Amino acid sequence: MTNDTHDPTRRSWVERSNSADTDFPIQNLPLGVFRRRGSGDVPGVGVAIGDQILDLRAARKLGLLDGLSPALADAAAASTLNGLMALGQLESSHLRHLLMRILDADGRLAEPQSLVAMDHAELLVPAAIGDYTDFYSSIFHATRVGALFRPENPLAANYKYVPIAYHGRSSSIVPSGTPIKRPRGQLKGPDDAPRVGPSERLDYEVEVGFFAGAANVLGEPLTLAEAEDRIFGLCIVNDWSARDIQVWESQPLGPFLSKNFATTVSPWVVTREALAPFRCPAFTRPPGDPPPLPYLSSPANEGAGGFDVRVEVSLRSAAMQRAGLAPFGVSRASLRDMYWTFAQMAAHHTSNGCNLRPGDLVASGTISGPGHGAEGCLLEMTRGGADPIELPTGEKRTFLADGDEVIMRAYCERAGYARIGFGECRGVIS
């Protein structure tokens, strides 16, 4: 539900946060982890506000967090977001309301010494991620990719019943801006005998992920309502993929080395409360599709289980960078078009008794929409390499070349509310 923290007329004493083009107005207040660039300091929790970061460890020393419970104040001054995530939605809401009072233009409870300029900060992975699960929740993506390999039967029989996922590798999750080294692996040859070499079909996948909040007990599944309550906040995810390694290794157990070499996340976590004005109905299933099974169905989820988060992907080649050209827009899509909601993913994830823990990352899978220009990866957009895209320099791409930079952005807009953004998720192929 919306409340006074979503009031679009609120302004902050941090002037840049009041600009119409900012991702981080006072109505957003996403959380992240940072340290001063080049300092070697212990990382700390920060809040994005305009072009600044409110340092919560410094704020605590200044007495600005005195209204919080000791557990919440300790978590806010920690070096990861895991402690805040573990405390649950009510405590994170208390923090959000206090931050509003600290940063509100009418209150001005903090001074500039509690701020760090964003361009002077090193932004880190926001949580110690114990486990990472990547879903496959876009029916548009699944259908297009399935048609490339199984034109007579693009979707598996289980797709409309089961939220499909695989377990990823948390150790190779990196923050935005980290260079991505082209992976090597087994590549299928013309006679089915493999060779080992660098991937020649390197791809991105634009996704949105959620960080899990308070844990469920091992052996105790979450209901759909409980699963919704475990969504702490959202970020952008780029689940890099080596398609040629993937096609050779994926039978029968799915992707392995083609995925675990790197996953990039944006540094700011937009909380579920900040996203309240941008909730939307779950995906409307076409006539003839089966309804979700009872444990994946509820009126609340059907009415407002989705998030209307819009994602954009841009590409800039090394030649474009040298020429000073702006990134080239490749695609736009929306999380609202996913076949399964995040609550359904979490409920299914725990339906066998699996325990989600604070800081676990659960990603949506490639976000694709129904039309051309809404494809969430190059495999879809170029139809497996058959239809290259052309960049402003005249260069053509079927898959990523060395020196290419992929830039992902996400934001929410709705009449009557302030626009909020997620920042950027970037990576350059090296």
Side-chain angles (χ1 to χ4, degrees), residues 14-17 22 24 48-53 116-119:
V14 181
E15 288 299 328
R16 186 67 181 83
S17 70
T22 184
F24 308 124
I49 180 75
D51 59 353
Q52 303 289 314
I53 300 170
V116 176
M118 207 170 287
D119 58 4

Side-chain angles (χ1 to χ4, degrees), residues 69-345:
S69 69
L72 183 53
D74 287 346
S79 57
T80 71
L81 291 180
N82 295 66
L84 284 172
M85 293 169 175
L87 291 175
Q89 293 291 329
L90 184 60
E91 288 290 79
S92 64
S93 182
H94 288 161
L95 177 61
R96 176 177 167 83
H97 282 75
L98 178 60
L99 293 172
M100 282 280 175
R101 294 196 294 274
I102 292 172
L103 292 166
D104 192 276
D106 292 335
R108 197 180 176 97
L109 298 181
E111 295 300 328
Q113 67 262 32
S114 59
L115 299 179
V116 176
M118 207 170 287
D119 58 4
H120 293 168
E122 179 186 1
L123 302 176
L124 307 173
V125 175
I129 301 171
D131 287 297
Y132 164 47
T133 303
D134 189 33
F135 277 82
Y136 192 56
S137 295
S138 168
I139 195 168
F140 303 111
H141 171 70
T143 301
R144 289 193 193 106
V145 170
L148 292 174
F149 301 102
R150 301 177 305 276
E152 72 290 344
N153 187 26
L155 284 182
N158 63 356
Y159 188 86
K160 296 178 181 181
Y161 294 94
V162 179
I164 302 295
Y166 76 95
H167 289 301
R169 181 76 184 176
S170 61
S171 66
S172 54
I173 296 176
V174 296
S176 176
T178 303
I180 303 300
K181 187 173 182 178
R182 183 177 295 274
R184 294 173 60 85
Q186 287 194 26
L187 312 174
K188 180 182 177 181
D191 58 355
D192 282 355
R195 59 184 175 84
V196 175
S199 172
E200 298 169 358
R201 295 165 70 88
L202 186 58
D203 202 355
Y204 63 81
E205 291 185 345
V206 60
E207 308 187 17
V208 170
F210 78 84
F211 284 96
N216 62 298
V217 176
L218 180 64
E220 296 185 8
L222 295 172
T223 66
L224 202 53
E226 291 168 339
E228 167 74 28
D229 199 49
R230 287 340 193 258
I231 301 170
F232 177 82
L234 276 54
C235 71
I236 310 169
V237 177
N238 184 350
D239 194 42
W240 304 93
S241 298
R243 302 299 188 185
D244 39 7
I245 299 173
Q246 184 177 0
V247 75
W248 173 246
E249 73 176 3
S250 287
Q251 302 300 325
L253 294 181
F256 179 39
L257 301 183
S258 56
K259 292 281 193 176
N260 69 5
F261 61 94
T263 301
T264 303
V265 294
S266 57
W268 297 109
V269 181
V270 180
T271 63
R272 185 162 66 99
E273 186 171 8
L275 291 164
F278 310 104
R279 302 305 296 266
C280 60
F283 183 81
T284 301
R285 296 186 169 210
D289 280 14
L293 294 174
Y295 77 100
L296 296 173
S297 180
S298 75
N301 184 72
E302 291 167 13
F307 291 88
D308 190 6
V309 180
R310 306 174 195 186
V311 295
E312 299 179 349
V313 182
S314 299
L315 181 62
R316 184 164 58 177
S317 69
M320 290 173 64
Q321 294 176 53
R322 290 192 295 269
L325 298 177
F328 174 71
V330 176
S331 69
R332 295 183 176 187
S334 176
L335 187 65
R336 72 180 301 152
D337 288 327
M338 304 303 271
Y339 200 77
W340 301 100
T341 67
F342 277 142
Q344 287 173 318
M345 295 179 215

Side-chain angles (χ1 to χ4, degrees), residues 378-391:
L378 290 175
L379 178 68
E380 272 185 79
M381 181 162 290
T382 69
R383 295 189 300 116
D387 188 13
I389 60 172
E390 185 170 336
L391 302 178

